[in-house]
């Protein structure tokens, strides 16, 4: 077991719903797989492997016609159940062998995202979320980007406020180095933290920064970065060493009709591009080169959110493996 294994039997956000249109499939890489997503005639999201069973062309290069996904290479058509309903070279109306069918991946839409079930158990009824996180509205805007680091490095970063006075001293000036925890607890499946960054000696130009944040499996975090400004993020793994980072920013100051979405978009661009990409990624890339194993870390009290996340992650992986082990003998005995 490595610290880069994905957590099984979880719902993972894989795409913002706004990016999946009605007649154009979208190809993405998530959780070590190439996937194609498209919408059927009812607007429901469908997810399959991005590989035609005929001769391996990427189906995401095709199109949607007559409520079917069409392969761009030889025109094979697949319905929303994954069934191949036509091979044009054989002629219209000719029966299609079942060996050309595709397996569907379980996906669901909620909170403006498309979620993918990664695991062998039946999908959980609950989609992981935070009641305080911003849902899509005229006051919100989302950003996304792929990064060449493990999703675990990003999750650690989302649970770490005490790097601010060092990594972000140019963009978040004046933050103190001493961490005071007002709250650090498990709220069911959610890790909830309230921390303040203080200076050892007070002064006019030495402000106190307060952060309220929450983390939950498998890849979610939400942070109130200032009063009335909050974001929710997912660090979804593309593969072992690459992450799709998505974040939605919301603000409570300006209504949508007065340009509230523009303000949220500016906050998102500033935080993702200037703060995270230009500053955090330098540190995360240095961690990645050392390929850290969590058991080798030496943590202190301010790392409590990170320790809790890795503890929950290990428990979830162990539970999934125990469940799989208990199922296999019964299957073998019944054969």
């Amino acid at each position: 077991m490595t610290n880069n294994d994905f957590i099984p039997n979880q719902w993972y956000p894989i795409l913002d719903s706004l990016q999946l249109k009605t007649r154009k499939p979208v190809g993405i890489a998530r959780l070590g797989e190439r996937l194609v997503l498209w919408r059927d005639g009812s607007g429901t999201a469908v997810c399959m492997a991005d590989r035609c069973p005929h001769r391996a062309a990427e189906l995401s290069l095709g199109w949607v016609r007559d409520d079917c996904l069409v392969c761009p290479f030889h025109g094979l058509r697949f319905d929303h159940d994954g069934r191949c309903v036509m091979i044009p070279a054989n002629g219209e109306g000719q029966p299609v062998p079942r060996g050309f069918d595709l397996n569907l991946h379980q996906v669901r839409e909620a909170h403006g995202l498309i979620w993918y079930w990664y695991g062998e158990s039946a999908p959980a009824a609950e989609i992981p979320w935070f009641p305080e996180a911003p849902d899509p509205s005229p006051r919100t805007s989302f950003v996304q980007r792929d990064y060449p680091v493990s999703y675990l490095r990003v999750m650690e970063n989302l649970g770490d406020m005490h790097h601010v006075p060092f990594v972000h001293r140019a963009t978040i000036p004046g933050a103190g180095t001493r961490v005071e925890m007002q709250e650090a607890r498990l709220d069911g499946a959610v890790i909830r933290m309230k921390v303040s960054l203080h200076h050892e000696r007070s002064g006019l130009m030495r402000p106190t920064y307060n952060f309220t944040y929450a983390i939950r499996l498998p890849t979610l975090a939400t942070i109130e970065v200032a009063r009335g400004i909050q974001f929710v993020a997912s660090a979804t793994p593309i593969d072992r060493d690459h992450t799709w980072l998505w974040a939605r920013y919301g603000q409570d100051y300006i209504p949508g009709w007065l340009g509230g979405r523009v303000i949220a978009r500016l906050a998102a661009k500033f935080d993702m591009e200037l703060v995270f990409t230009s500053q955090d990624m330098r540190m995360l890339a240095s961690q990645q080169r050392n390929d850290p194993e969590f058991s080798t870390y030496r943590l202190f009290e301010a790392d409590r959110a990170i320790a809790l996340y890795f503890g929950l992650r290990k428990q979830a992986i162990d539970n999934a493996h125990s469940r799989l082990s208990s199922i296999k003998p019964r299957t073998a005995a019944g054969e």
Side-chain angles (χ1 to χ4, degrees), residues 39-52:
R39 293 193 184 278
D40 65 15
S42 68
T44 301
V46 182
C47 182
M48 306 166 174
D50 194 8
R51 181 185 186 278
C52 182

Side-chain angles (χ1 to χ4, degrees), residues 43 164 194 224 227 335:
V164 168
K194 289 183 180 180
E224 185 180 59
R227 186 179 297 275
E335 289 176 348

Side-chain angles (χ1 to χ4, degrees), residues 67-89:
D67 207 16
C68 289
L69 177 62
V70 181
C71 175
F73 202 4
H74 299 95
L76 278 69
R77 295 191 181 190
F78 303 90
D79 68 14
H80 59 260
D81 292 320
R83 225 177 133 150
C84 183
V85 296
M86 181 190 294
I87 300 177

